[in-house]
Amino acid sequence: MVSFEEARRIILENVQPVGTERIHLLEATGRVLSEDVAAPWDMPLWDNSAMDGYAVRHQDCVTIPCKLRVTGFLPAGAKADGVIVEPGCAVRIMTGAPVPAGCDAVVPVEETDNGQLEVTLLEPVTKGQHFRFRAEDVSAGVVFVRNETVVRPPEVNMLAGFGMALVPVYRRPTVAILSTGDELVELGQTPGPGEIVNSNTLSLAAAVRECGCIPRIIGIARDNRESHLEKLHEGLKADVLITSAGVSAGDCDLVRDILEELGARQMFWKVGIKPGGPTAFALHGTTPVFSLPGNPVSTMITFEEFVRPALLKMQGYQRVLRPLFKAVLKEELKKKPGKVQIVRLRLEKEAGRWLATSAGNQQTAILKTMVDAQAIAVLPAESTSFAAGDEVDVHFYGNHIELE
Ligand code: AMP
Ligand code: MG
């Protein structure tokens, strides 16, 4: 048995990004850049006006109010070639238009009488005011987004501003999902006596998608050698393989043996975590194989704590573990020492502190408590019980906009 921390360390040490690709900018939000990106040109490309107003020479405007002759008009999109601000003159200019030769300041229309042929300036003018200078945002050749940056709308805006329709990002791994068990029927079939719906495949596919990867549903391996051989072989063609069930010490638990037969190298089996103890991790070549226990709560918790960080790392993300924060228990939590205990919680905020209550019955077989959980407490292996009022480390489970 390995500890919770050791299991995570072994997993994260043995997974790497699976490659890179160039994709359209529109698809890149949320993805991770795989190269530094340098500006192909200055931003902005030319000095331009930051306001709607008048382009002037500041030395003409020493005494206020001051009257200037308006000799031209430059809307956004106009070319400033040949337009000159002569002494004693002004050119009417709109935001974003290139500033004409001769001027060194822009006076906002709100600080004038808004004259068309002549304009009176009502406020003092300083040199360079309301100018956007060439390259003041970014100079040509400067790296403006680094490798490993997560693309958000601001990055999209800047990449688009530089005309980059295709951007280099880490590839999204394909993740094969294989359930095992003779008791399983597929979604759409009504379970007969002794049968249950293969819900883990759907839940795992949802979780895989939620962290940005591409699920490949392999189906069900029945509890015999031939079926396992065939389905595991198929699953190993993906970048990652996740199996559910058949990994404990039962008579029909074949996953680990058949994986070994297919050439996978087991890195660990059994982790000091509850629920989720029988989890195994193996490498087939460089393909990570996660064998998760079949109990739906255990499957989801081990995905959350072990598989999710690995899938994020494989896509180039740097922050792969959910941040832990403190929550104050409203009720006591009992636990035995020796294993990390995962507790499903509900949270509320009071006077700037998070308060936590149990989301319900914490037994592994109770799925509804997982549905109700907003957060998970990761209680350290060595700890025993926690009293009401004690602080524990928790992380969100899923995205809870209503809690933010
Ligand atoms: P096992 O590890 O094969 O002993 O399975 C542990 C428990 O998880 C049993 O109660 C199974 O019926 C249940 N289980 C296994 N596979 C699935 C699945 N794909 N969907 C939902 N429950 C499952
Ligand atoms: Mg089974």
Side-chain angles (χ1 to χ4, degrees):
M1 188 175 87
V2 295
S3 69
F4 174 77
E5 294 77 15
E6 210 175 342
R8 268 197 175 158
R9 183 182 56 74
I10 293 169
I11 290 166
L12 289 175
E13 269 177 18
N14 284 287
V15 299
Q16 302 302 334
V18 284
T20 63
E21 60 184 341
R22 294 184 118 69
I23 60 169
H24 193 272
L25 187 51
L26 205 52
E27 309 303 324
T29 315
R31 300 284 293 273
V32 185
L33 293 175
S34 58
E35 291 171 21
D36 291 350
V37 183
W41 57 66
D42 288 338
M43 178 86 88
L45 247 184
W46 15 263
D47 293 355
N48 68 93
S49 175
M51 298 294 280
D52 297 328
Y54 299 85
V56 302
R57 305 153 59 92
H58 87 282
Q59 65 270 38
D60 294 346
C61 318
V62 178
T63 45
I64 292 296
C66 121
K67 197 175 272 189
L68 300 170
R69 196 155 61 83
V70 179
T71 57
F73 176 53
L74 283 171
K79 290 195 177 71
D81 303 354
V83 183
I84 295 176
V85 179
E86 304 284 0
C89 298
V91 165
R92 202 169 161 82
I93 192 166
M94 298 295 114
T95 306
V99 294
C103 79
D104 59 10
V106 169
V107 180
V109 71
E110 295 84 353
E111 297 176 10
T112 73
D113 66 351
N114 196 14
Q116 299 294 313
L117 300 175
E118 270 190 349
V119 62
T120 301
L121 312 187
L122 308 171
E123 305 283 343
V125 177
T126 53
K127 190 175 177 186
Q129 71 174 35
H130 305 302
F131 256 49
R132 296 167 177 165
F133 293 100
R134 175 174 184 152
E136 78 172 9
D137 198 349
V138 182
S139 299
V142 167
V143 171
F144 65 96
V145 275
R146 297 221 161 266
N147 180 8
E148 287 155 2
T149 300
V150 180
V151 177
R152 304 163 307 156
E155 283 78 19
V156 170
N157 207 321
M158 208 155 202
L159 289 157
F162 284 121
M164 295 176 177
L166 291 178
V167 291
V169 293
Y170 290 100
R171 197 162 70 68
R172 302 194 291 169
T174 55
V175 181
I177 297 168
L178 174 63
S179 284
T180 71
D182 280 345
E183 73 276 37
L184 303 177
V185 299
E186 292 293 22
L187 182 67
Q189 294 175 281
T190 308
E195 295 179 337
I196 58 166
V197 177
N198 174 14
S199 56
N200 278 347
T201 282
L202 282 301
S203 169
L204 283 169
V208 162
R209 262 200 200 154
E210 200 173 59
C211 53
C213 299
I214 304 163
R216 295 250 188 277
I217 292 176
I218 306 296
I220 299 168
R222 297 304 176 185
D223 289 331
N224 63 71
R225 186 170 171 275
E226 293 67 37
S227 182
H228 270 59
L229 270 175
E230 182 205 329
K231 293 291 189 181
L232 286 170
H233 178 75
E234 195 183 334
L236 287 168
K237 292 177 187 161
D239 295 316
V240 180
L241 169 59
I242 304 175
T243 67
S244 126
V247 76
S248 309
D251 295 343
C252 305
D253 293 341
L254 301 171
V255 171
R256 291 184 315 114
D257 283 353
I258 310 276
L259 276 172
E260 197 182 326
E261 204 174 313
L262 287 168
R265 191 157 52 98
Q266 183 175 294
M267 304 301 285
F268 64 73
W269 177 45
K270 292 191 174 166
V271 184
I273 183 176
K274 209 170 159 341
T279 302
F281 176 64
L283 291 172
H284 184 264
T286 56
T287 305
V289 182
F290 297 90
S291 301
L292 310 183
N295 203 302
V297 169
S298 308
T299 313
M300 287 186 280
I301 284 175
T302 50
F303 181 94
E304 168 70 20
E305 301 296 335
F306 300 124
V307 185
R308 182 178 183 274
L311 296 186
L312 293 181
K313 184 176 177 194
M314 293 177 81
Q315 296 171 87
Y317 293 98
Q318 299 300 296
R319 204 177 86 172
V320 299
L321 300 179
R322 291 200 205 258
L324 292 174
F325 56 94
K326 299 280 182 202
V328 180
L329 293 174
K330 284 181 80 175
E331 56 192 301
E332 75 164 342
L333 287 181
K334 289 213 161 99
K335 109 178 240 308
K336 291 187 191 134
K339 288 181 179 179
V340 162
Q341 178 124 0
I342 300 294
V343 184
R344 296 159 259 166
L345 298 172
R346 291 199 63 82
L347 291 181
E348 59 191 298
K349 203 150 204 185
E350 196 183 275
R353 296 190 315 170
W354 288 107
L355 303 183
T357 44
S358 169
N361 185 334
Q362 298 287 332
Q363 286 179 41
T364 318
I366 305 298
L367 188 50
K368 176 65 163 55
T369 313
M370 206 65 193
V371 169
D372 290 338
Q374 297 167 309
I376 279 173
V378 184
L379 305 180
E382 64 279 9
S383 66
T384 52
S385 297
F386 292 82
D390 282 356
E391 278 191 334
V392 290
D393 283 326
V394 306
H395 65 73
F396 283 125
Y397 181 60
N399 304 319
H400 289 287
I401 287 168
E402 78 271 20
L403 287 177
E404 283 174 359

